[in-house]
Every structure is written in structure tokens, then in C-alpha cells.
Amino acid sequence: MKTRYFIYTGVVLLGVGSIVASCKKSFLELTPQGEFLEANYYSTPAQALTAVVAAYDPLVTETGGLDNTYSDPLGALNAGSDDCYAGGGSSSDMSTWQAMNNYTMTSATGPQGEFWSINFQGVNRADVLLEKLPGVPGLSADVLKRYTAEGHFLRAHYYFDLVRLFKNVPLILTTLQINDVYKQPQASPDSVYAHVEADLTAAIAGLPTTVASTENGRVTKGAAIALLGKVYLYEKKWALAASTLAQVNGTPGGTSTYGYKLQASYGDIFSPKNKFNSESIFELVHSGNQNYTWNNWDQFKSNIYVQMVGPRSYKGPIYYGAGYGFNPITPNLVAAMKGDPRYPYTIANIDSIAKANNVTYEQSYQGSGYYIEKFAPKVANIVTTGSTDLNWPNDYIEIRLADTYLMEAEALVNAGGDIGRATSLLNAVRSRVGLAAETASLDNIYKERRLELATEGHRWFDLVRWGQAPTALAFKGFKSGVNEILPIPLTETLNGTQIKQNPGY
């Protein structure tokens, strides 16, 4: 079976119409225009904008991978961490997440197919965009500059995920003819990181500082700087990471040059009624107004993960709608957060709620009685369009200010830099929720990152980059020297391709 998922070559079709249809009511509203041959598509400024939308689209893809299964990345990442289990209805429910949870991944089993295919789809769309934009008639210089910057940011974003997850990936910076698809070798991680840095550096110059409310979700200069600082952190370029993140953070606890400021109330950060708040640096848009039903399987741009993590068969007068019971909280995280002011905004104690309020629900597989609160399917957020299960409006804030504060503090400590500033950054995060001040040490910063960012998809990456995963995840079967990265999908290594499987798989 010669199916390759790392490249969706632009020489056949640019599926813009279906992409735009699925993005409708998101950060851009365009009229679906059908499918077009890529060779003759980029002929107007309107078509160029549609192609920009297409390049963003994989960021909020809810279905994909080798078998087009449900594929929100938070599910697998949380399942692989010590914050959550896979959960669901049984040990075979969402088998990709179960394999990540138990570290039983093989080249054929696990979430790698969805991570690989969705991110490489994004790479290809960004490649096509960057190649075609200069030739679009009627595109003003300013608009060309912005669209090009967005293309660079998006390609960097997709490759940053790929190199963190797989380490050994092909580096594809141009569109390929179909005969060349099978000839692409893996690049060194250093060369991938270098191109991620280059793309982000190129993006920063062309991006706006702010966007209009009608464009919320499009990348800004601050988001590109923040992502570049995060990339430097992963490369352990501590001084560069600190100085880059400082541009975004400004004075700890104050309002930065880019307008970012910690929210006064921790719980307000995650409310779908408070989208694009002052703490949001890069936010992935989900709409609850698209009338989705199960007939729209491959088009969802609402937040299906909200439905996935709700308590199963929940029936009662208050708080929650019934969900599917995925990613129940581990006793490990419950114990770590007990007494922390962020606990009630992070963890829902469904057992206690059920006992106190005449509520019934079905315990999940691996269920602990504790479930994710930040993305819970709350009755207050239910919309009346389409199937309730499929139209949750919750956005996902991928980068927020408390995260960049703690990243800069970590970089400063590792660099032997300004410990006073690192302490101020740490304590701005703590004081927001009424916690006493602490000195900035790596241990204190590591602890704060877990409590502040729990269930937001950062924990697995943090444990791996800190070298703590083998110990912290031993209870799940994590294998040192193997599970720090995912296996390459089996189909990518067959039929004479140049792709080699990652060690241990």
C-alpha cells in the first residue's frame, strides 16, 4: 500500500472549497467556492485569502490520521502524561489514546498517524502558499507581506510539533511532484530546528501587532515571538529564550508592549464567553454555531474534545452535560493540586457533585471520579444548533501569558541570568491566585508549570524535555530511550521509502 501521509502534493487538487466550508463561522467567513486545480487557482486576492485559511485549517482539525479517526491532540498528550488517563468506555475505546496512556505504542498502533498526517498536511499547505503568493495578481505589497508572514509562522508551527514528537522527520520546504514523494530522507533535528527559527524570524517582521476582532485567531507578532522563545527553550538556548520571551512578557504582572496581561480571575481564562482575553497569545478558534451533525464527520471545527472529557451518562440538574468520559484525572494530579486555588477550575470532583446533588453518571474506564474542568461540557455553554455533542464553542489557548512567564523564568535560571526577574515572573503567576511568594528555582518553576497548566497539553512535553518522564511516567510503562518520541507511522516506512523507524519501535 503506497500511501504516504507526509505530503499532500499541490499538483493535483487544492481542496480549498471543502476547507473553507469547514472553517465557516471561524475566524474568517468566506463563501465556499468548490475545489480548484492548484495550477490555476491563485489568480485573485480573494483566492489567496482562501488559501491562507486552508493553511490554518490543520491547526483545528478534529479528525484525521491513518483511519480518519477523531484526533484532537489534547487527548493523546493528556493520556500520555501523569495528569490524566486515557479513560473512555473501555480499554479499546480510542485505542490510539490507550496506547499512548499505556506506552504500548508500535509503528502500527498509537496516535502517531494523526500527528504526522495533520502536521504534514499543514506543512504542504504552507509550502504551496509561500510559493504561489508572489504571483497573485492584484495582491498589495502590505497584504502579500502579511500572508507570507502567516505562511512562515504556520510552517514553523507544524514543524515544531513534528520535531518534538518524532525528532526524525523529512524537511520539505517546497511542493513535490508525486514521483519525488518517496525519495525524501529524514533531516537532522538540528536542521529542522534551524528552519523553524528561520521561518519564525521571517514571520515576525511581517505580522501585525494586533488584529481586528473579526480576525481573531490569525497570528500576531507577539504570538510569533512567543513561539520563537519557546523553540529556543526546547533547544536549551537559554539566554536567547529568556530575551525573546521577555519581549512578550514585559514587566511581570503588568501589561506588556503587545497588550498582554494576566487575567485577574484564573477561572475566566477558559470560559468560551471570554475568548481572546488579555492572557491569550495564540488561540485556536472553535465555533459552536455551525449546525454540525454526525454527517459532518470530516468538517468539525467546533471543540469535540469538550464532549470527549465530560462524565459519561451524566444525568442531573446542574453543571454538566453528559460526555464520553475520556482523560479522567489521575490521583497523582489530584494530590498535587489539593489546597491549590486553581484546583476547582482544573479538576471536577464528579463523585462529590453526584452525591450532593442527586446526580448519576457512569464511571469511565480508569475513572477516578475526577474529570477535566477546564474543557468540561458545561450546561451554561450548550448551544442549540445541530447536535449538542458536536457544537461546543470552547477555544483552545495554545500559548498564554502565564506559560510564557514561566518559560522565561526557567530560561533565566538555566542561563544564570537575572534571578530577581525570574522570581518576579514566577510570583506574578502565584499572586494572581493568592499564593505566597517563592524564590525562582527550577524545582519551584517545574511545580508551578504543572499546577498552572494542568490538562492543557504541556505536561508530557515538559516531562520529556526535563528528562523526568522515565521516573514520572514509570507507573504507565514509559520506556526510557524509546518513548521520549513517537514511532514513525508504519505506512511511512514501507515500499522503498527513505524513512527509517525511530529506535525502539
Side-chain angles (χ1 to χ4, degrees), residues 145-159:
K145 181 180 179 182
R146 181 180 182 185
Y147 289 1
T148 301
E150 288 177 289
H152 282 296
F153 173 90
L154 291 167
R155 186 168 64 183
H157 185 287
Y158 295 127
Y159 260 122

Side-chain angles (χ1 to χ4, degrees), residues 324-362:
Y324 302 156
F326 286 94
N327 286 157
I329 303 294
T330 62
N332 183 307
L333 180 60
V334 173
M337 294 208 72
K338 278 292 174 75
D340 190 285
R342 291 162 289 201
Y343 178 101
Y345 305 108
T346 304
I347 298 173
N349 186 341
I350 300 298
D351 270 358
S352 292
I353 291 171
K355 291 172 184 175
N357 296 283
N358 193 30
V359 165
T360 62
Y361 80 103
E362 178 186 335

Side-chain angles (χ1 to χ4, degrees), residues 26-28 146 208-220 276 285:
S26 184
F27 69 88
L28 293 175
R146 181 180 182 185
T209 300
T210 60
V211 297
S213 61
T214 54
E215 297 182 326
N216 278 339
R218 294 182 74 173
V219 67
T220 61
F276 301 99
V285 184

